[in-house]
Amino acid sequence: MTPANPRILFVTGKLAEPALRRVLADLAPRAGFDPEVAVLNITVAALMTANWVARHLPAGIAADRLILPGFCRGDVAEVTAAAGVPAELGPKDLRDLPEFFGKRSGPPPGYGGFDTEILAEINHAPTKSPDAILAEARRYRSSGADVIDLGCDPGGSWAGVGDAVRLLKAGGFRVSIDSFNPVEVEAALDAGAELVLSVNGTNVARVSDWHARFPHAEVVAIPDTPSDLDSLARTVDVLRAIGVKHRLDPILEPIGFGFAASLGRYLDARRRFPDAELMMGIGNLTELTDVDTAGVNVVLAGFCQEVGVRSVLATEVINWARSAVREFDLARRLVYHAVREKVLPKRLEPNLVILRDPKLVAMGDDALRDLAARVTDRNYRIFAERGELHIFNGTVYARGTDPFELFRQMLAADPKLDASHAFYLGYECAKAVTALTLGKNYTQDQALRWGFLTVPEVSHRGGS
């Protein structure tokens, strides 16, 4: 005997009822449930509170679950108690119901592992105060960095490097030192730094002494010149003879200065040193290319994951790279899952889709006209889809591409439009035009989605 489908009661307001019924007519057969709709005596469902819903539910509810609009405020447990069935918040936008019922994009259970370490460099560290160094280190750590790299400046010795390392160590940070100056390196190692960037044929002779005095230290070996892997091999031979722990960085070069060849060198290094730890300094691409860095970081993370590059050095100097560490932290988790599970890195990490939205949704002309016909109050509703703005209330329906022209139409139909409402409409129209321009979804009184950069928005919509 085939078990009966679960019965689910959807609570909504008067305006959203037709759109909700259309979505459920398509969704319910595919998701395997029998829908019921309770239309409460309120125009805008977003204005509901759990306490109000609990007092206005219909009698005799026989459903298995109850779904409230996602904007409903208050304790959902009040609704559960009043209805006698489990209540929960649905999505804020009813067009997201298909994803809510088992077709949700996003990471599967257990997602989030990684095996690539992030070193985040504090550039020009000698020029910064201890408080500034500590603040930057904390920001990097909150973004996902595993090691804080102190970037030293050439031409002189930083007398405070030891104090800076001790300060960071006292704060629970792992520390690396980025310098070819042996005075700075030795002071940093003496204070507890664990990694030296970098050594090659010019300073590898110092490593034997460092290893004797600081046996905990690890070094990063680089070629004498980026294209010379043979020089890297000579340095590796010395390091192996000493017995010091090391990782290799064949040097990623900027586009136009040997970028493609440098990627090839990482492949060559993996073949020549199959058991070696590899590292990549990704700043030569993220900092030196006129492009937002999220996509660059994902591509580099994917390359590193496949080749076995298990550490990267990231920086956030130029403004377009200001979130590069956080981006790579998300990227390393995405590509780790993709490579390990042999799945595409797609529909797993919505926080990295920043400029545009993964999918555009639209009500369509018929649904918008139907909704507009049901509106009887003076509050404006704004929609942005298929290249146009749609703005309407109980007396006017304006549509077009120019918000100034639409505002003139609204003002002609509603000469008593007050300044605060006009300001609100201007703000919402700016968001809506931005969404149309970039290919994003717009929902009135909701923040545009910018992945992990999204800033939540407090609704300022008037009452219904």
Side-chain angles (χ1 to χ4, degrees), residues 258-455:
F259 167 63
S262 68
L263 289 179
R265 286 197 297 274
Y266 279 88
L267 300 176
D268 290 343
R270 174 51 70 213
R271 285 190 288 268
R272 294 179 67 169
F273 310 101
D275 301 321
E277 291 292 333
L278 298 183
M279 191 180 96
M280 177 184 287
I282 60 178
N284 275 350
L285 215 59
T286 57
E287 296 279 344
L288 303 179
T289 310
D290 279 340
V291 67
D292 294 326
T293 51
V296 175
N297 275 311
V298 172
V299 172
L300 290 178
F303 180 86
C304 290
Q305 192 68 46
E306 291 192 1
V307 177
V309 178
R310 293 294 172 251
S311 57
V312 300
L313 176 66
T315 60
E316 293 183 351
V317 179
I318 201 160
N319 189 58
W320 64 62
R322 62 188 294 177
S323 56
V325 172
R326 178 64 175 141
E327 292 161 11
F328 199 93
D329 178 50
L330 293 168
R332 63 179 171 175
R333 301 167 193 271
L334 173 63
V335 300
Y336 177 83
H337 180 84
V339 172
R340 186 175 184 180
E341 301 299 325
K342 298 189 183 306
V343 298
L344 291 173
K346 183 178 180 181
R347 298 194 176 96
L348 294 171
E349 185 44 83
N351 280 317
L352 283 168
V353 183
I354 296 172
L355 180 62
R356 295 184 173 88
D357 283 355
K359 179 180 66 174
L360 288 177
V361 293
M363 293 186 66
D365 286 341
D366 291 343
L368 285 170
R369 280 194 295 268
D370 182 61
L371 179 59
R374 292 171 178 269
V375 172
T376 58
D377 58 66
R378 295 181 65 247
N379 294 314
Y380 285 93
R381 280 75 175 179
I382 305 174
F383 295 84
E385 54 182 62
R386 295 162 295 125
E388 284 189 311
L389 299 175
H390 300 255
I391 307 177
F392 52 81
N393 66 4
T395 59
V396 62
Y397 188 141
R399 64 184 291 180
T401 59
D402 183 351
F404 290 92
E405 173 57 32
L406 298 183
F407 185 75
R408 282 192 287 270
Q409 296 177 35
M410 287 184 280
L411 197 58
D414 187 5
K416 294 183 179 181
L417 187 64
D418 63 82
S420 62
H421 205 166
F423 181 88
Y424 164 79
L425 289 170
Y427 177 75
E428 288 296 323
C429 282
K431 287 163 50 186
V433 170
T434 300
L436 289 176
T437 302
L438 295 180
K440 302 182 76 67
N441 290 301
Y442 166 80
T443 302
Q444 191 171 355
D445 291 314
Q446 288 190 39
L448 296 181
R449 297 175 184 175
W450 304 102
F452 72 91
L453 295 175
T454 302
V455 177

